[in-house]
Every structure is written in C-alpha cells, then in structure tokens.
Amino acid sequence: MSAPVVVVVGAINVDLVVAAARLPGPGETVVGGGVQRHGGGKGANAAVAAARAGAEVLLIGAVGADDTGAAALAELRADGVDTAGVAVLDGVPTGVALIVVDDHGENQIAVGAGANAAVEAEHVRETLRTVLPRAGCVLVSTEIAAAAVAAAVEAAAAAGVRCVLNPAPVVPVVAQLLGHGPVLTPNSTECRHLAALVDADSPAEGVAPPGARALVARTGAPVAVTLGGDGAVVVVPGADPCPVPPLPATVRDTTGAGDTFNGVLAARMAAGDGLVAAVRTATAAASLSVGHVGARTGMPHAAAIAAALATP
Ligand code: ATP
Ligand code: RIB
C-alpha cells in the first residue's frame, strides 16, 4: 500500500526576482543587476518541498489559462507534484510575485493574486472529497480566496485528517477556523498578529514568543512558530515549549524558507512522525534552503536532509 498523500491547498505564482544591494523605501527606486524568474506561491512552494522530501503530493489551487500558468504547472509536475487539483481558469491571470532580495538575503514581496483569489470553495471541497480517504496531512496557506481556505480546513477536520494551517499572511478567516484545531505554523510576527486578531494576546514565555500560548489555548493543538535564524519552537498544550535549533547557514535568500518548513513538516507528519521530530526535519530542510536565490532553488531532497541531520 502506498504512503498517505500530502494535500497542499494554496497559491501558485511566478516570482520575478531582482537582487539589489538594499530594499527600496517608499517612493524609492533601487536598481539591481538583472531579473530572474522562479516558480513561486506559498502553496506551490510547499508542495515542491514536500515532494522533494519524499512525499506523494496533490496540489489544490488555480492558475490562469495563460502561458505563465502552463509553465508553472509543467515545473510543478517536473518536481513530482500531482497538479490534478489545480483549476485552469479563463479570464484571470496566473498569480505573480514581484520580489526584491538584498545583500543580506532579506526580501520584500508584492503579490498580484490573479487566479489565486478565484480558487472556489466548491472546487476545494470536491477535490478533497476524493483524496481525503488516502490523505495523511492537509496543508493550507492563506494567499488564496478566504472561502477556499475555510473549505479546506473544515473538510480536513470533518474527515479527521491532520491539518497544518500556515497563516501567511494573517487574514481574518483564520480566526474562524481555530476551533477546528489545526496545527498553526506562523512566524513570530504572524504569531503576534494572529493572537491580536483573535484578541488572545499572551506574553513571551521562555522560548515561546508573544501570542503562542494564547493560540494554543484557542486551538487546543500545538503551534510551531518559525524564528528565522533562531530555528523554531513547538508550543503544546500543558507542556514546556520545545526549541528546535536551525542548521548553520549562509543566507542568500530566505524567500520560501517558511514554505520549505511547512512542506517538509506536512510530509513528515503524513509519514507518521511525531510533531517535534517532524519540526526538527522541517527546520533542518528550511535551513538548507536559504543558501540560494529563488524560493525553490535551495529546497533539499530527502537524502540531503537526512545527511544534514546526521552531521554532528
Ligand atoms: P519566508 O516568509 O521568508 O519564507 P518565514 O518568515 O515564513 O519565511 P522564517 O521563520 O524566516 O519563516 O524561516 C523559516 C525557517 O527557515 C526557520 O525555522 C529556519 O529553519 C530557516 N531559516 C530562516 N533563516 C535562517 C537562517 N538565517 N539560518 C538558518 N536557518 C534559517
Ligand atoms: O513564501 C514565498 C512566496 O511568497 C513567494 O514564492 C511568492 O510567490 C509569495 O507568494
């Protein structure tokens, strides 16, 4: 019997990346050397990360009926992602992200949502209906239509399939979904913003950042907060927070580091790992990903992740 499937519900973009010495301020122009085109979108990136980590992956989302969309799907299939759940929509463009990366690997991103904003809840429900019986984890991120996000989390909960909800960006619909008990994976800023959104602030507690405890109380489920160069921390109901260190990394571009974390986390959860073990693997994979420009360029395959984890 084949391993449980990872289902990713999220955005698909093409990323246009300019590397410049520093990020522009408001109203300012900075000039970089050239422009690179990379596959992007938080859903598509996480799907690729999960597939490279060894999972069977089905992606649910939407692209426009244009050359950009066709190229995005071809790239995803080349990485082993099943795109049968991606709708090809007339009359809307494929999503585009305009990204500037500075000399320190920091980025600035503006997204034109295009087809991502048109992902229909009914499409999500219908696709999940057929795949949930063999799913090990559903990973949802929030760059798509709010109703589609809600449909995914609700369907996973109703089917009793483990659900990871990456609140990136923090949008109001997330507040309505906390009662379904998804494993939340915010970065530290998103953690604070989400806690404020649901009026459930909590102070920092040891290695747990502000808001984390309050979110755990709301979901009754673990929250895994990513902390950039400080790795991640797992906060669970009724226990001490568990810090997970990163691997040392030379940072060239952190775009997609969070997506790598989420995709590998979902892959390992679907494979049956406990949450802390899955977060350890996800954190290591994300650390490996930041050494290259482009969201997916540095995403490691399973063998590279295993080798890095085995290195003392
Ligand atoms: P992004 O939005 O840039 O994709 P994020 O804000 O969602 O990322 P981060 O918390 O910045 O997520 O990073 C995710 C993971 O990437 C971290 O948990 C860590 O494993 C890895 N990472 C990020 N920055 C570094 C770094 N400087 N050194 C080592 N690992 C890093
Ligand atoms: O998380 C990184 C992604 O965010 C980029 O690939 C870009 O497309 C935006 O969606």
Side-chain angles (χ1 to χ4, degrees):
M1 212 167 87
S2 55
V5 175
V6 172
V7 185
V8 180
V9 185
I12 303 160
N13 292 331
V14 60
D15 291 354
L16 300 177
V17 184
V18 171
R22 61 187 178 77
L23 304 179
E28 189 188 11
T29 301
V30 296
V31 178
V35 61
Q36 295 181 22
R37 181 201 165 287
H38 292 277
K42 292 188 197 306
N45 292 343
V48 168
R52 290 192 191 168
E56 186 185 337
V57 183
L58 175 75
L59 176 61
I60 300 178
V63 294
D66 48 28
D67 291 348
T68 307
L73 292 182
E75 237 170 47
L76 286 162
R77 288 182 196 124
D79 246 307
V81 175
D82 182 349
T83 59
V86 179
V88 179
L89 303 178
D90 286 321
V92 283
T94 298
V96 174
L98 305 177
I99 302 179
V100 184
V101 180
D102 74 11
D103 279 349
H104 306 287
E106 194 50 75
N107 64 48
Q108 192 177 63
I109 305 180
V111 173
N116 298 305
V119 177
E120 289 188 352
E122 192 46 39
H123 169 69
V124 173
R125 272 192 287 270
E126 190 52 32
T127 312
L128 282 174
R129 196 178 57 74
T130 57
V131 73
L132 278 175
R134 54 193 186 95
C137 185
V138 176
L139 167 62
V140 187
S141 50
T142 52
E143 280 181 331
I144 56 174
V149 171
V153 175
E154 287 163 4
V161 175
R162 291 211 277 184
C163 180
V164 175
L165 176 56
N166 178 23
V170 173
V171 288
V173 71
V174 175
Q176 300 159 28
L177 300 170
L178 299 185
H180 292 292
V183 173
L184 295 169
T185 54
N187 64 23
S188 51
T189 307
E190 290 155 355
C191 186
R192 207 176 57 246
H193 288 169
L194 182 55
L197 178 72
V198 299
D199 210 12
D201 268 337
S202 61
E205 180 192 318
V207 286
R213 272 278 173 229
L215 292 175
V216 168
R218 284 295 172 98
T219 61
V223 174
V225 187
T226 62
L227 305 170
D230 291 325
V233 58
V234 182
V235 185
V236 295
D240 286 338
C242 175
V244 177
L247 300 179
T250 305
V251 179
R252 295 215 33 227
D253 180 8
T254 60
T255 310
D259 307 332
T260 307
F261 177 93
N262 278 280
V264 176
L265 177 68
R268 292 316 311 165
M269 284 172 66
D273 285 2
L275 185 67
V276 171
V279 167
R280 274 191 209 293
T281 307
T283 304
S287 294
L288 292 171
S289 77
V290 301
H292 300 265
V293 174
R296 301 180 199 162
T297 316
M299 282 179 182
H301 288 80
I305 302 172
L309 283 169
T311 305

